[in-house]
Amino acid sequence: MIAITLPIFLVVGLGFGVTRAGLFSVPDMRIFGRFVISIALPALLFNAIAKRDVAEVFDPVFMGIYAGVSLCALAIAYVWFCHVRGMPLERAGICMMGVACSNSGYMSFPILLLAFPDLAAKVLAMCLLVENLLMIPTVLVLIALGRGRGAGMIWGIARDLLRRPLILALIAGLVWSVFKLPIPAVLGQGLGMISTAAVALALFVVGGSLAGVSLRGNLGLASQISVGKLVLHPLLALGVLAVAGAGLSPELQACLLIACAVPMLGVYPIFAQEQGMEGLASLALLMTTAMSFFTLSLALVFLM
């Protein structure tokens, strides 16, 4: 367990330490992060999908359970933040995103690469599809409805999501896989070289980005978001897997639990900016990432 979690958080800590020391700046992390999300991870995804048969990459049972668990977490967060705490929908939507949307590219994939290397790329592709085509759009639509925006805003959300390099890489990989197109050796080697940068740099960016986080914010609300992400989301996954997980191998069940147990998506504070909640989102992201060392270690002990 230590062999899996400690290297992950050492790299995160390295990013945090060198950024705090001034060797890099927080704006540098945004540039590195753009490289990871726009080039390195898309190259990795394309390679993972294009070289396999579609049936080997996508498991409808896994995707259905992951989507169902995440939607349940979203629904519970909606009831809590909107009806119990009485927050308006556009502000509650940011809190709901923190509870139900995982950081698969920057956190889940590196852990899976160490714990289940043969399944890591496949699980990443499935999780990114659920997150980018279902979870994030659903939350953004709820926020738009809370602000009184109509169908034009919803169409804009869909258009922006379909322009993301990760989605384009997934689509391209599917086309290559379905039509069994060959990948030229030179292109394959180049994509492989770029892909190797994804894991370490992604973790480094997580740490470096947290170095600029202010500790000012609503600590109580940030704590509720953190507990929702690190406790509620994986517990729901455990419950659903106990009832409906028979169609998944034990390894895929473990991968699904890890995917639900990681912190929220790394660009969470960016989504929160429009609502003026970036301070809260940054604080929740910092708390969740720090606490996840212990919760993920506990999850891995349970799984192994």
Side-chain angles (χ1 to χ4, degrees), residues 183-206:
I183 300 177
V186 174
L187 177 61
Q189 291 173 359
L191 290 172
M193 292 170 62
I194 295 172
S195 300
T196 57
V199 176
L201 191 54
L203 293 170
F204 187 84
V205 166
V206 170

Side-chain angles (χ1 to χ4, degrees), residues 28-278:
D28 292 335
M29 294 302 117
R30 296 192 188 102
I31 296 172
F32 294 153
R34 196 176 303 130
F35 172 79
V36 171
I37 206 72
S38 300
I39 298 177
L41 276 179
L44 186 151
L45 274 178
F46 176 81
N47 254 353
I49 297 172
K51 293 179 178 179
R52 293 180 171 92
D53 188 85
V54 174
E56 296 177 21
V57 177
F58 298 109
D59 187 319
V61 176
F62 180 98
M63 295 179 69
I65 292 177
Y66 184 54
V69 167
S70 299
L71 287 172
C72 284
L74 189 69
I76 293 173
Y78 169 79
V79 172
W80 176 258
F81 292 112
C82 282
H83 295 285
V84 177
R85 288 193 54 102
M87 297 176 66
L89 182 56
E90 64 270 23
R91 295 181 64 82
I94 296 298
C95 301
M96 292 154 58
M97 177 181 283
V99 171
C101 297
S102 293
N103 190 347
S104 294
Y106 284 17
M107 289 295 291
S108 177
F109 177 67
I111 295 170
L112 293 174
L113 200 60
L114 293 176
F116 303 98
D118 294 337
L119 293 173
K122 170 180 177 175
V123 172
L124 175 64
M126 292 190 291
C127 288
L128 287 176
L129 272 177
V130 172
E131 291 156 8
N132 284 277
L133 297 183
L134 176 63
M135 297 308 302
I136 295 175
T138 298
V139 176
L140 292 179
V141 167
L142 289 173
I143 293 172
L145 292 174
R147 300 185 69 184
R149 297 188 179 182
M153 178 64 179
I154 296 173
W155 167 245
I157 292 170
R159 183 188 58 214
D160 291 342
L161 288 170
L162 292 174
R163 288 177 177 174
R164 292 187 177 190
L166 281 171
I167 299 300
L168 295 176
L170 282 166
I171 294 171
L174 282 172
V175 170
W176 248 258
S177 176
V178 168
F179 292 99
K180 303 187 184 304
L181 301 174
I183 300 177
V186 174
L187 177 61
Q189 291 173 359
L191 290 172
M193 292 170 62
I194 295 172
S195 300
T196 57
V199 176
L201 191 54
L203 293 170
F204 187 84
V205 166
V206 170
S209 300
L210 293 176
V213 170
S214 170
L215 295 180
R216 295 179 180 178
N218 189 327
L219 183 61
L221 189 55
S223 299
Q224 293 168 32
I225 297 170
S226 301
V227 170
K229 185 69 200 73
L230 297 182
V231 179
L232 174 65
H233 202 178
L235 282 181
L236 286 172
L238 276 176
V240 173
L241 285 172
V243 175
L248 292 178
S249 66
E251 292 80 9
L252 277 177
Q253 291 189 33
C255 290
L256 192 145
L257 180 59
I258 291 171
C260 294
V262 296
M264 68 279 289
L265 64 170
V267 293
Y268 182 45
I270 296 175
F271 283 113
Q273 282 178 354
E274 192 174 354
Q275 307 303 321
M277 299 175 68
E278 62 271 21

